């Protein structure tokens, strides 16, 4: 079979898949690495390990294709957004890669917003002014290490780093990744002068921006090591979020994609760059004429993992001895299904890792509200799941305010294996939710975009028919009504306690952690 390989570089693992013309996954590999958390608010990756993982994932999945008797006709790339790494003139890293989860730039983010520049910048760049963005991260460097900022030949992200290893090409980045930096004007299609001034870098230190369908050449040595024809097209690809929409077939109007893994997101596709008036939604490119708007939330499966670590010590069930974390989390979710919607009056603000959409306010922290003596572990877990799904519903409410209807959701990620997660999500969004049968939606999206780039998938909306889905879960009407009543309380309480949690952080700073392992939930 003629297959396309997709390489998806994620925060804790790089996935490699090979997909046939009907979207069937023919081979799959995964290379893991730890996320380093060397200090409060920091979240970094070893860039050399990240680059090596992409090379290994490509070689491993190519070997599996040969074993299947399949022929690789193209390679597509996906990478996570909002990372920044200093590089030399040849693209070799000069320091750690700072990820989207790094929160050191909170002061810079708040200053830009206080100066009245936030919404203006977001309107031009499509990226909210938030500590996650490379714009604010570079502004942190400007304030704290201006000499390194000035002397570093290149500043880039994950895609630039991977391309420097795989591609025989000039220093480049795709339009999708560029649109998520906060530095690129998505309307004028150029690096934004005001953003560059705030960041303290020049356009010459940043990569050339290319369409997501650009075909590049593999480095000869990489092709030999992977056993691939050096002429195999290497499609530059896009960012993980937009490709996740494509990978679950959520590109037609009215169809949204939800990712529920360690973190989460809700996204839908529009036909031009769009800036919402309230500044609550991001806008990133899939192609030059297809754009993804939506919002990402920092907390999803990670909240249940935390609950399992915190509340399930001595969790006594027959056969629970030796149970791993995934099994424990699944058991907690089954237990939580026994609690009624609304968790008997318990409200969770699930911001263990801070929060992004729809408010993009640094400093948010988690809380339980309405806690009573009769609430037990199952209530705490269920209300955490409800809190995450309600946060995604607040993003959907921002769609509604912009006149963008969502009538169907396609979901992917480790959390959607749980009946509780899917049922609560359907009720919070009040639309049917169908789960994609392949968990590797982002990597499959990279495959599909590569097929499009080489002319084998002329219309990206055809992907909707290629992606197998389970039977949709329809919202429970009573639960949907209850969640709609509760949702305004989430926004009012989250913003009301912001000053309190900021003062708590000053009184009792977070402890110094070392390493955070991958969360599969």
């Amino acid at each position: 079979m003629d297959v396309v390989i997709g390489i998806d570089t994620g925060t804790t693992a790089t996935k490699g898949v090979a997909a046939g013309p009907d979207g069937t996954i023919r081979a799959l590999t995964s290379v893991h690495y730890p996320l380093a958390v060397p200090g409060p608010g920091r979240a970094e990756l070893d860039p050399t390990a990240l680059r090596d993982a992409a090379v290994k994932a490509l070689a491993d999945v190519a070997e599996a294709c040969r074993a299947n008797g399949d022929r690789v006709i193209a390679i597509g790339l996906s990478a996570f957004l909002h990372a920044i790494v200093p590089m030399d003139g040849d693209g070799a890293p000069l320091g750690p890669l700072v990820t989207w989860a790094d929160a050191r730039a909170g002061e810079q983010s708040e200053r830009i917003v206080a100066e009245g520049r936030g919404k203006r910048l977001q309107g031009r760049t499509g990226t909210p002014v938030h500590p996650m963005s490379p714009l604010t991260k570079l502004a942190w460097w400007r304030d704290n290490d201006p000499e390194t900022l000035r002397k570093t030949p290149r500043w880039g992200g994950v895609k630039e780093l991977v391309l420097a290893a795989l591609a025989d090409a000039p220093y480049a980045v795709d339009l999708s990744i560029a649109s998520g930096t906060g530095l690129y004007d998505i309307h004028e299609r150029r690096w934004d002068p005001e953003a560059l001034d705030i960041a303290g870098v020049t356009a010459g230190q940043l990569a050339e921006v290319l369409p997501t369908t650009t075909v590049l050449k593999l480095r000869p040595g990489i092709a030999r090591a992977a056993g691939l024809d050096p002429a195999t097209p290497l499609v530059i690809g896009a960012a993980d979020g937009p490709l996740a929409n494509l990978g679950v077939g959520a590109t037609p109007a009215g169809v949204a994609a939800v990712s529920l893994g360690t973190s989460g997101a809700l996204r839908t596709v529009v036909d031009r760059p769009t800036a919402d008036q309230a500044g609550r939604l991001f806008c990133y490119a899939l192609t030059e004429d297809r754009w993804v708007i939506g919002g990402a939330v920092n907390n999803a499966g990670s909240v249940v993992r935390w609950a399992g670590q915190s509340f399930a010590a001595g969790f006594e069930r027959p056969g629970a001895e030796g149970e791993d974390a995934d099994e424990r989390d699944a058991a907690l979710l089954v237990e939580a299904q026994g609690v009624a919607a609304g968790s008997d009056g318990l409200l969770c603000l699930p911001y263990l890792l801070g929060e992004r959409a729809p408010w993009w306010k640094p400093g948010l922290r988690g809380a339980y509200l309405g806690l009573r003596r009769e609430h037990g572990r199952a209530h705490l877990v269920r209300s955490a799941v409800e809190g995450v799904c309600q946060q995604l519903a607040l993003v959907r409410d921002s769609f509604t305010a912009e006149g963008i209807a969502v009538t169907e959701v396609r979901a992917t990620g480790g959390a959607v294996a749980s009946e509780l997660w899917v049922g609560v999500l359907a009720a919070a969004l009040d639309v049917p939710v169908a789960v994609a049968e392949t968990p590797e939606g982002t990597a499959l999206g990279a495959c599909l975009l590569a097929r499009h780039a080489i002319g084998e998938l002329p219309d990206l909306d055809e992907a909707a028919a290629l992606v197998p889905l389970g039977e949709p879960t329809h919202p429970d009407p009573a639960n949907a009504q209850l969640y709609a009543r509760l949702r305004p309380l989430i926004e009012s309480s989250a913003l009301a306690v912001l000053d309190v949690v900021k003062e708590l952080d000053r009184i009792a700073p977070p402890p110094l952690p070392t390493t955070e392992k991958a969360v599969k939930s």
Side-chain angles (χ1 to χ4, degrees), residues 149-172:
L149 183 73
R150 180 177 56 82
K151 289 184 176 180
T152 296
R154 295 180 177 179
W155 289 93
V158 178
K159 185 64 71 72
E160 293 96 318
L161 187 72
V162 170
L163 282 172
L166 300 182
D168 188 8
Y171 184 44

Side-chain angles (χ1 to χ4, degrees), residues 171-217:
Y171 184 44
V173 68
D174 64 76
L175 174 64
S176 185
I177 292 289
S179 67
T181 61
L183 298 161
Y184 189 77
D185 188 325
I186 60 177
H187 307 283
E188 297 293 330
R189 306 292 174 89
R190 61 172 184 170
W191 294 112
D192 185 83
E194 182 182 10
L196 293 176
D197 181 63
I198 292 170
V201 295
T202 66
Q205 290 174 282
L206 305 177
E208 178 185 1
V209 180
L210 302 177
T212 60
T213 52
T214 300
V215 176
L216 304 172
K217 293 181 179 180

Side-chain angles (χ1 to χ4, degrees), residues 476-499:
D476 179 288
N479 292 354
Q481 186 176 23
L482 173 63
Y483 290 146
R485 289 180 62 193
L486 290 171
R487 203 142 53 242
L489 301 180
I490 294 173
E491 181 159 15
S492 60
S493 57
L495 300 181
V497 301
L498 182 57
D499 289 340

Side-chain angles (χ1 to χ4, degrees), residues 361-415:
K361 288 187 177 295
L364 286 170
R365 295 291 181 266
Y368 280 101
L369 301 175
L371 191 63
R372 300 192 303 267
R373 184 176 182 275
E374 58 266 31
H375 289 133
R377 178 175 62 209
H379 293 87
L380 294 167
V381 173
R382 181 177 183 116
S383 64
V385 171
E386 290 177 335
V388 172
C389 294
Q390 289 277 58
Q391 200 71 25
L392 291 168
L394 286 164
V395 176
R396 190 282 318 278
D397 292 346
S398 299
F399 289 178
T400 303
E402 293 298 310
I404 299 169
V406 172
T407 57
E408 174 191 345
V409 165
R410 297 183 170 203
T412 188

Side-chain angles (χ1 to χ4, degrees), residues 65-85:
C65 291
R66 288 193 298 277
N68 292 337
D70 293 336
R71 183 173 73 104
V72 178
I73 61 171
I75 301 161
L77 301 179
S78 167
F80 67 86
L81 284 161
H82 312 312
I84 195 75
V85 60

